[in-house]
Amino acid sequence: LQLIDHYYPMAQALLETAIAAGIPDWDVYHGLGLALMRQKEYSEAIPWYQEAIWSNPNDDFVWSCSELAQCYKALDAFQSGFEFYYSVCQDQRYTERWPAWHHCGWTRMQLGSLQGAKDHYMRALELCRDPSWGWTANDLRHVYERQGKLDEALPFFLDLTAREPYSDNWGVWYGRAYVEWKTGNAQGAVGCFERSIELHRHYHNQNDNYWTLIDYGWCLRDLGHYDEALDRFERAKALDPRPWDSWHGVGWVLKTRRDFVKAKTHFEEALRRNPQSALSWFELGSVYHSMPSDPLNLVYAWEAYE
């Protein structure tokens, strides 16, 4: 309850008391890891998450591996992360522990070893029978794209969506939608995006698929369906207004509608969230370039392009 209410130091003290009293429970180790991670004590959290993974007999419990990955990311310790996850996969007790295989793939992808990442993700996908976990398929799509092999990814995802247990996996449908769109079949991708969103909402009882909506919006943009694209960008922004992408997407549609004042506001907000976005700087310059009357707008446009 203390963890749920965000009283992390109090939760930490309680769990440390339980461990000192000799309660050997993986859930206690996991909770202590979480309490420490939420206080950004990443190095201290890592051994408790590891102990939780070694102590938990459930091969399908993903969160110890997933939260441990956040610690490795915060410390930029991907090699150490890979070595730990791989040691779990090689242990005879845990060779079918798909969350560890998934995070072997994830750490190797962060290290730039794309073929190795693909092999581990494939093994995780083979072992996982949980259709609510879509991230392995989504990460595989990332690997194919970074390898420049989306043409190879298309038959792979077409096959997955046609057979169980993958046909009800939201990440598989998202992967197929993305690949269909990027390989020239934006119209075919529309139904796949819709299926992914439907499945995600079914399993998670919430519509928090931000990135699906962002990609869906740009796919609709490519089809010239600007009203629908704006709707998807606005839905993404309502789900999470912190990332820059949805602000940029809304700005793009407003610019196309020649609503330059509102478009400028959205591009400026996107740049406040991500000043390194060359796309948003370009579009902001384009908006200033298109705005009438004030000669200073050309100066502002030049500055944005610069």
PDB file of all heavy atoms in Angstrom, residues 149-175:
ATOM      1  N   LYS A 149      15.412  -3.640 -43.421  1.00  0.00           N
ATOM      2  CA  LYS A 149      14.836  -4.867 -43.982  1.00  0.00           C
ATOM      3  C   LYS A 149      13.327  -4.939 -43.756  1.00  0.00           C
ATOM      4  O   LYS A 149      12.777  -6.008 -43.461  1.00  0.00           O
ATOM      5  CB  LYS A 149      15.511  -6.090 -43.356  1.00  0.00           C
ATOM      6  CG  LYS A 149      16.993  -6.209 -43.676  1.00  0.00           C
ATOM      7  CD  LYS A 149      17.600  -7.452 -43.029  1.00  0.00           C
ATOM      8  CE  LYS A 149      19.075  -7.604 -43.400  1.00  0.00           C
ATOM      9  NZ  LYS A 149      19.690  -8.798 -42.773  1.00  0.00           N
ATOM     10  N   LEU A 150      12.628  -3.823 -43.936  1.00  0.00           N
ATOM     11  CA  LEU A 150      11.187  -3.847 -43.746  1.00  0.00           C
ATOM     12  C   LEU A 150      10.496  -4.731 -44.779  1.00  0.00           C
ATOM     13  O   LEU A 150       9.420  -5.288 -44.507  1.00  0.00           O
ATOM     14  CB  LEU A 150      10.613  -2.430 -43.798  1.00  0.00           C
ATOM     15  CG  LEU A 150      10.818  -1.571 -42.547  1.00  0.00           C
ATOM     16  CD1 LEU A 150      10.181  -0.211 -42.730  1.00  0.00           C
ATOM     17  CD2 LEU A 150      10.257  -2.252 -41.300  1.00  0.00           C
ATOM     18  N   ASP A 151      11.081  -4.891 -45.966  1.00  0.00           N
ATOM     19  CA  ASP A 151      10.495  -5.796 -46.953  1.00  0.00           C
ATOM     20  C   ASP A 151      10.482  -7.237 -46.437  1.00  0.00           C
ATOM     21  O   ASP A 151       9.553  -7.999 -46.722  1.00  0.00           O
ATOM     22  CB  ASP A 151      11.258  -5.717 -48.277  1.00  0.00           C
ATOM     23  CG  ASP A 151      10.984  -4.417 -49.022  1.00  0.00           C
ATOM     24  OD1 ASP A 151       9.933  -3.795 -48.747  1.00  0.00           O
ATOM     25  OD2 ASP A 151      11.812  -4.022 -49.855  1.00  0.00           O
ATOM     26  N   GLU A 152      11.513  -7.610 -45.673  1.00  0.00           N
ATOM     27  CA  GLU A 152      11.535  -8.934 -45.067  1.00  0.00           C
ATOM     28  C   GLU A 152      10.550  -9.026 -43.905  1.00  0.00           C
ATOM     29  O   GLU A 152      10.016 -10.106 -43.620  1.00  0.00           O
ATOM     30  CB  GLU A 152      12.938  -9.262 -44.558  1.00  0.00           C
ATOM     31  CG  GLU A 152      13.978  -9.475 -45.636  1.00  0.00           C
ATOM     32  CD  GLU A 152      15.327  -9.850 -45.040  1.00  0.00           C
ATOM     33  OE1 GLU A 152      15.365 -10.292 -43.867  1.00  0.00           O
ATOM     34  OE2 GLU A 152      16.341  -9.696 -45.743  1.00  0.00           O
ATOM     35  N   ALA A 153      10.319  -7.917 -43.244  1.00  0.00           N
ATOM     36  CA  ALA A 153       9.412  -7.920 -42.089  1.00  0.00           C
ATOM     37  C   ALA A 153       7.965  -8.122 -42.514  1.00  0.00           C
ATOM     38  O   ALA A 153       7.168  -8.684 -41.759  1.00  0.00           O
ATOM     39  CB  ALA A 153       9.547  -6.605 -41.324  1.00  0.00           C
ATOM     40  N   LEU A 154       7.603  -7.693 -43.732  1.00  0.00           N
ATOM     41  CA  LEU A 154       6.205  -7.757 -44.153  1.00  0.00           C
ATOM     42  C   LEU A 154       5.659  -9.183 -44.143  1.00  0.00           C
ATOM     43  O   LEU A 154       4.635  -9.442 -43.495  1.00  0.00           O
ATOM     44  CB  LEU A 154       6.033  -7.105 -45.518  1.00  0.00           C
ATOM     45  CG  LEU A 154       4.598  -7.053 -46.054  1.00  0.00           C
ATOM     46  CD1 LEU A 154       3.677  -6.333 -45.068  1.00  0.00           C
ATOM     47  CD2 LEU A 154       4.555  -6.369 -47.410  1.00  0.00           C
ATOM     48  N   PRO A 155       6.281 -10.152 -44.829  1.00  0.00           N
ATOM     49  CA  PRO A 155       5.725 -11.523 -44.761  1.00  0.00           C
ATOM     50  C   PRO A 155       5.756 -12.093 -43.348  1.00  0.00           C
ATOM     51  O   PRO A 155       4.883 -12.893 -42.994  1.00  0.00           O
ATOM     52  CB  PRO A 155       6.618 -12.315 -45.713  1.00  0.00           C
ATOM     53  CG  PRO A 155       7.851 -11.502 -45.902  1.00  0.00           C
ATOM     54  CD  PRO A 155       7.439 -10.086 -45.734  1.00  0.00           C
ATOM     55  N   PHE A 156       6.731 -11.699 -42.554  1.00  0.00           N
ATOM     56  CA  PHE A 156       6.816 -12.180 -41.173  1.00  0.00           C
ATOM     57  C   PHE A 156       5.580 -11.751 -40.385  1.00  0.00           C
ATOM     58  O   PHE A 156       4.923 -12.578 -39.727  1.00  0.00           O
ATOM     59  CB  PHE A 156       8.088 -11.641 -40.525  1.00  0.00           C
ATOM     60  CG  PHE A 156       8.200 -11.914 -39.051  1.00  0.00           C
ATOM     61  CD1 PHE A 156       8.488 -13.183 -38.594  1.00  0.00           C
ATOM     62  CD2 PHE A 156       8.018 -10.889 -38.131  1.00  0.00           C
ATOM     63  CE1 PHE A 156       8.588 -13.438 -37.223  1.00  0.00           C
ATOM     64  CE2 PHE A 156       8.126 -11.132 -36.769  1.00  0.00           C
ATOM     65  CZ  PHE A 156       8.407 -12.413 -36.320  1.00  0.00           C
ATOM     66  N   PHE A 157       5.224 -10.459 -40.450  1.00  0.00           N
ATOM     67  CA  PHE A 157       4.073  -9.979 -39.695  1.00  0.00           C
ATOM     68  C   PHE A 157       2.756 -10.444 -40.318  1.00  0.00           C
ATOM     69  O   PHE A 157       1.782 -10.687 -39.587  1.00  0.00           O
ATOM     70  CB  PHE A 157       4.117  -8.459 -39.569  1.00  0.00           C
ATOM     71  CG  PHE A 157       5.065  -7.980 -38.513  1.00  0.00           C
ATOM     72  CD1 PHE A 157       6.299  -7.445 -38.839  1.00  0.00           C
ATOM     73  CD2 PHE A 157       4.732  -8.077 -37.170  1.00  0.00           C
ATOM     74  CE1 PHE A 157       7.183  -7.015 -37.857  1.00  0.00           C
ATOM     75  CE2 PHE A 157       5.612  -7.648 -36.169  1.00  0.00           C
ATOM     76  CZ  PHE A 157       6.839  -7.121 -36.518  1.00  0.00           C
ATOM     77  N   LEU A 158       2.703 -10.574 -41.622  1.00  0.00           N
ATOM     78  CA  LEU A 158       1.495 -11.126 -42.248  1.00  0.00           C
ATOM     79  C   LEU A 158       1.227 -12.534 -41.735  1.00  0.00           C
ATOM     80  O   LEU A 158       0.077 -12.909 -41.448  1.00  0.00           O
ATOM     81  CB  LEU A 158       1.653 -11.139 -43.773  1.00  0.00           C
ATOM     82  CG  LEU A 158       1.561  -9.793 -44.488  1.00  0.00           C
ATOM     83  CD1 LEU A 158       1.967  -9.949 -45.957  1.00  0.00           C
ATOM     84  CD2 LEU A 158       0.149  -9.227 -44.401  1.00  0.00           C
ATOM     85  N   ASP A 159       2.281 -13.321 -41.603  1.00  0.00           N
ATOM     86  CA  ASP A 159       2.131 -14.684 -41.098  1.00  0.00           C
ATOM     87  C   ASP A 159       1.675 -14.686 -39.646  1.00  0.00           C
ATOM     88  O   ASP A 159       0.786 -15.461 -39.261  1.00  0.00           O
ATOM     89  CB  ASP A 159       3.459 -15.430 -41.236  1.00  0.00           C
ATOM     90  CG  ASP A 159       3.407 -16.811 -40.604  1.00  0.00           C
ATOM     91  OD1 ASP A 159       2.623 -17.660 -41.072  1.00  0.00           O
ATOM     92  OD2 ASP A 159       4.152 -17.048 -39.627  1.00  0.00           O
ATOM     93  N   LEU A 160       2.273 -13.813 -38.813  1.00  0.00           N
ATOM     94  CA  LEU A 160       1.920 -13.793 -37.393  1.00  0.00           C
ATOM     95  C   LEU A 160       0.454 -13.434 -37.175  1.00  0.00           C
ATOM     96  O   LEU A 160      -0.229 -14.038 -36.340  1.00  0.00           O
ATOM     97  CB  LEU A 160       2.803 -12.808 -36.637  1.00  0.00           C
ATOM     98  CG  LEU A 160       4.250 -13.212 -36.370  1.00  0.00           C
ATOM     99  CD1 LEU A 160       4.949 -12.124 -35.553  1.00  0.00           C
ATOM    100  CD2 LEU A 160       4.347 -14.540 -35.639  1.00  0.00           C
ATOM    101  N   THR A 161      -0.047 -12.436 -37.908  1.00  0.00           N
ATOM    102  CA  THR A 161      -1.437 -12.017 -37.696  1.00  0.00           C
ATOM    103  C   THR A 161      -2.432 -13.063 -38.177  1.00  0.00           C
ATOM    104  O   THR A 161      -3.616 -12.993 -37.848  1.00  0.00           O
ATOM    105  CB  THR A 161      -1.733 -10.683 -38.409  1.00  0.00           C
ATOM    106  OG1 THR A 161      -1.376 -10.788 -39.799  1.00  0.00           O
ATOM    107  CG2 THR A 161      -0.962  -9.536 -37.781  1.00  0.00           C
ATOM    108  N   ALA A 162      -1.947 -14.054 -38.927  1.00  0.00           N
ATOM    109  CA  ALA A 162      -2.843 -15.079 -39.468  1.00  0.00           C
ATOM    110  C   ALA A 162      -2.910 -16.341 -38.619  1.00  0.00           C
ATOM    111  O   ALA A 162      -3.694 -17.239 -38.921  1.00  0.00           O
ATOM    112  CB  ALA A 162      -2.408 -15.448 -40.889  1.00  0.00           C
ATOM    113  N   ARG A 163      -2.096 -16.424 -37.549  1.00  0.00           N
ATOM    114  CA  ARG A 163      -2.094 -17.668 -36.771  1.00  0.00           C
ATOM    115  C   ARG A 163      -2.036 -17.407 -35.273  1.00  0.00           C
ATOM    116  O   ARG A 163      -1.515 -16.403 -34.819  1.00  0.00           O
ATOM    117  CB  ARG A 163      -0.935 -18.567 -37.196  1.00  0.00           C
ATOM    118  CG  ARG A 163       0.465 -18.000 -36.996  1.00  0.00           C
ATOM    119  CD  ARG A 163       1.506 -18.936 -37.600  1.00  0.00           C
ATOM    120  NE  ARG A 163       2.849 -18.396 -37.558  1.00  0.00           N
ATOM    121  CZ  ARG A 163       3.728 -18.674 -36.595  1.00  0.00           C
ATOM    122  NH1 ARG A 163       3.396 -19.475 -35.607  1.00  0.00           N
ATOM    123  NH2 ARG A 163       4.946 -18.155 -36.633  1.00  0.00           N
ATOM    124  N   GLU A 164      -2.625 -18.353 -34.559  1.00  0.00           N
ATOM    125  CA  GLU A 164      -2.620 -18.286 -33.100  1.00  0.00           C
ATOM    126  C   GLU A 164      -1.252 -18.677 -32.566  1.00  0.00           C
ATOM    127  O   GLU A 164      -0.539 -19.452 -33.197  1.00  0.00           O
ATOM    128  CB  GLU A 164      -3.697 -19.220 -32.539  1.00  0.00           C
ATOM    129  CG  GLU A 164      -5.107 -18.813 -32.922  1.00  0.00           C
ATOM    130  CD  GLU A 164      -6.153 -19.743 -32.331  1.00  0.00           C
ATOM    131  OE1 GLU A 164      -5.764 -20.787 -31.724  1.00  0.00           O
ATOM    132  OE2 GLU A 164      -7.338 -19.446 -32.466  1.00  0.00           O
ATOM    133  N   PRO A 165      -0.890 -18.177 -31.376  1.00  0.00           N
ATOM    134  CA  PRO A 165      -1.632 -17.255 -30.501  1.00  0.00           C
ATOM    135  C   PRO A 165      -1.387 -15.792 -30.828  1.00  0.00           C
ATOM    136  O   PRO A 165      -1.818 -14.916 -30.094  1.00  0.00           O
ATOM    137  CB  PRO A 165      -1.057 -17.592 -29.121  1.00  0.00           C
ATOM    138  CG  PRO A 165       0.377 -17.900 -29.402  1.00  0.00           C
ATOM    139  CD  PRO A 165       0.391 -18.602 -30.741  1.00  0.00           C
ATOM    140  N   TYR A 166      -0.717 -15.533 -31.954  1.00  0.00           N
ATOM    141  CA  TYR A 166      -0.280 -14.164 -32.255  1.00  0.00           C
ATOM    142  C   TYR A 166      -1.373 -13.303 -32.859  1.00  0.00           C
ATOM    143  O   TYR A 166      -1.268 -12.074 -32.853  1.00  0.00           O
ATOM    144  CB  TYR A 166       0.922 -14.210 -33.196  1.00  0.00           C
ATOM    145  CG  TYR A 166       2.013 -15.126 -32.702  1.00  0.00           C
ATOM    146  CD1 TYR A 166       2.238 -16.366 -33.287  1.00  0.00           C
ATOM    147  CD2 TYR A 166       2.800 -14.767 -31.610  1.00  0.00           C
ATOM    148  CE1 TYR A 166       3.229 -17.214 -32.819  1.00  0.00           C
ATOM    149  CE2 TYR A 166       3.795 -15.610 -31.130  1.00  0.00           C
ATOM    150  CZ  TYR A 166       3.998 -16.834 -31.743  1.00  0.00           C
ATOM    151  OH  TYR A 166       4.972 -17.677 -31.262  1.00  0.00           O
ATOM    152  N   SER A 167      -2.430 -13.930 -33.370  1.00  0.00           N
ATOM    153  CA  SER A 167      -3.463 -13.170 -34.085  1.00  0.00           C
ATOM    154  C   SER A 167      -4.243 -12.236 -33.171  1.00  0.00           C
ATOM    155  O   SER A 167      -4.968 -11.366 -33.654  1.00  0.00           O
ATOM    156  CB  SER A 167      -4.417 -14.130 -34.793  1.00  0.00           C
ATOM    157  OG  SER A 167      -4.986 -15.045 -33.873  1.00  0.00           O
ATOM    158  N   ASP A 168      -4.122 -12.414 -31.851  1.00  0.00           N
ATOM    159  CA  ASP A 168      -4.791 -11.525 -30.904  1.00  0.00           C
ATOM    160  C   ASP A 168      -3.798 -10.683 -30.112  1.00  0.00           C
ATOM    161  O   ASP A 168      -4.128 -10.188 -29.030  1.00  0.00           O
ATOM    162  CB  ASP A 168      -5.658 -12.335 -29.933  1.00  0.00           C
ATOM    163  CG  ASP A 168      -6.911 -12.879 -30.589  1.00  0.00           C
ATOM    164  OD1 ASP A 168      -7.379 -12.272 -31.575  1.00  0.00           O
ATOM    165  OD2 ASP A 168      -7.420 -13.920 -30.136  1.00  0.00           O
ATOM    166  N   ASN A 169      -2.598 -10.498 -30.638  1.00  0.00           N
ATOM    167  CA  ASN A 169      -1.572  -9.724 -29.964  1.00  0.00           C
ATOM    168  C   ASN A 169      -1.547  -8.317 -30.549  1.00  0.00           C
ATOM    169  O   ASN A 169      -1.309  -8.137 -31.751  1.00  0.00           O
ATOM    170  CB  ASN A 169      -0.210 -10.408 -30.142  1.00  0.00           C
ATOM    171  CG  ASN A 169       0.905  -9.725 -29.397  1.00  0.00           C
ATOM    172  OD1 ASN A 169       1.207  -8.560 -29.635  1.00  0.00           O
ATOM    173  ND2 ASN A 169       1.552 -10.454 -28.501  1.00  0.00           N
ATOM    174  N   TRP A 170      -1.788  -7.308 -29.708  1.00  0.00           N
ATOM    175  CA  TRP A 170      -1.869  -5.935 -30.219  1.00  0.00           C
ATOM    176  C   TRP A 170      -0.556  -5.483 -30.841  1.00  0.00           C
ATOM    177  O   TRP A 170      -0.540  -4.737 -31.835  1.00  0.00           O
ATOM    178  CB  TRP A 170      -2.283  -4.969 -29.107  1.00  0.00           C
ATOM    179  CG  TRP A 170      -1.284  -4.772 -28.025  1.00  0.00           C
ATOM    180  CD1 TRP A 170      -1.216  -5.436 -26.834  1.00  0.00           C
ATOM    181  CD2 TRP A 170      -0.178  -3.857 -28.026  1.00  0.00           C
ATOM    182  NE1 TRP A 170      -0.146  -5.001 -26.089  1.00  0.00           N
ATOM    183  CE2 TRP A 170       0.509  -4.031 -26.788  1.00  0.00           C
ATOM    184  CE3 TRP A 170       0.305  -2.922 -28.926  1.00  0.00           C
ATOM    185  CZ2 TRP A 170       1.641  -3.297 -26.451  1.00  0.00           C
ATOM    186  CZ3 TRP A 170       1.430  -2.191 -28.594  1.00  0.00           C
ATOM    187  CH2 TRP A 170       2.083  -2.372 -27.374  1.00  0.00           C
ATOM    188  N   GLY A 171       0.588  -5.950 -30.291  1.00  0.00           N
ATOM    189  CA  GLY A 171       1.879  -5.534 -30.828  1.00  0.00           C
ATOM    190  C   GLY A 171       2.155  -6.113 -32.198  1.00  0.00           C
ATOM    191  O   GLY A 171       2.798  -5.473 -33.039  1.00  0.00           O
ATOM    192  N   VAL A 172       1.663  -7.320 -32.453  1.00  0.00           N
ATOM    193  CA  VAL A 172       1.816  -7.934 -33.770  1.00  0.00           C
ATOM    194  C   VAL A 172       1.051  -7.125 -34.816  1.00  0.00           C
ATOM    195  O   VAL A 172       1.562  -6.851 -35.908  1.00  0.00           O
ATOM    196  CB  VAL A 172       1.330  -9.397 -33.730  1.00  0.00           C
ATOM    197  CG1 VAL A 172       1.225  -9.972 -35.131  1.00  0.00           C
ATOM    198  CG2 VAL A 172       2.274 -10.249 -32.876  1.00  0.00           C
ATOM    199  N   TRP A 173      -0.167  -6.702 -34.469  1.00  0.00           N
ATOM    200  CA  TRP A 173      -0.958  -5.900 -35.412  1.00  0.00           C
ATOM    201  C   TRP A 173      -0.355  -4.508 -35.604  1.00  0.00           C
ATOM    202  O   TRP A 173      -0.390  -3.952 -36.712  1.00  0.00           O
ATOM    203  CB  TRP A 173      -2.405  -5.800 -34.929  1.00  0.00           C
ATOM    204  CG  TRP A 173      -3.168  -7.055 -35.211  1.00  0.00           C
ATOM    205  CD1 TRP A 173      -3.439  -8.070 -34.350  1.00  0.00           C
ATOM    206  CD2 TRP A 173      -3.726  -7.434 -36.475  1.00  0.00           C
ATOM    207  NE1 TRP A 173      -4.133  -9.067 -34.988  1.00  0.00           N
ATOM    208  CE2 TRP A 173      -4.327  -8.704 -36.287  1.00  0.00           C
ATOM    209  CE3 TRP A 173      -3.792  -6.842 -37.729  1.00  0.00           C
ATOM    210  CZ2 TRP A 173      -4.985  -9.377 -37.321  1.00  0.00           C
ATOM    211  CZ3 TRP A 173      -4.432  -7.501 -38.759  1.00  0.00           C
ATOM    212  CH2 TRP A 173      -5.028  -8.757 -38.558  1.00  0.00           C
ATOM    213  N   TYR A 174       0.201  -3.937 -34.543  1.00  0.00           N
ATOM    214  CA  TYR A 174       0.885  -2.645 -34.673  1.00  0.00           C
ATOM    215  C   TYR A 174       2.101  -2.788 -35.584  1.00  0.00           C
ATOM    216  O   TYR A 174       2.329  -1.954 -36.475  1.00  0.00           O
ATOM    217  CB  TYR A 174       1.289  -2.160 -33.277  1.00  0.00           C
ATOM    218  CG  TYR A 174       2.026  -0.840 -33.225  1.00  0.00           C
ATOM    219  CD1 TYR A 174       1.957   0.101 -34.251  1.00  0.00           C
ATOM    220  CD2 TYR A 174       2.789  -0.517 -32.109  1.00  0.00           C
ATOM    221  CE1 TYR A 174       2.627   1.308 -34.169  1.00  0.00           C
ATOM    222  CE2 TYR A 174       3.461   0.688 -32.016  1.00  0.00           C
ATOM    223  CZ  TYR A 174       3.387   1.593 -33.050  1.00  0.00           C
ATOM    224  OH  TYR A 174       4.059   2.791 -32.969  1.00  0.00           O
ATOM    225  N   GLY A 175       2.881  -3.867 -35.375  1.00  0.00           N
ATOM    226  CA  GLY A 175       4.034  -4.104 -36.242  1.00  0.00           C
ATOM    227  C   GLY A 175       3.629  -4.249 -37.695  1.00  0.00           C
ATOM    228  O   GLY A 175       4.254  -3.670 -38.593  1.00  0.00           O
TER     229      GLY A 175
END
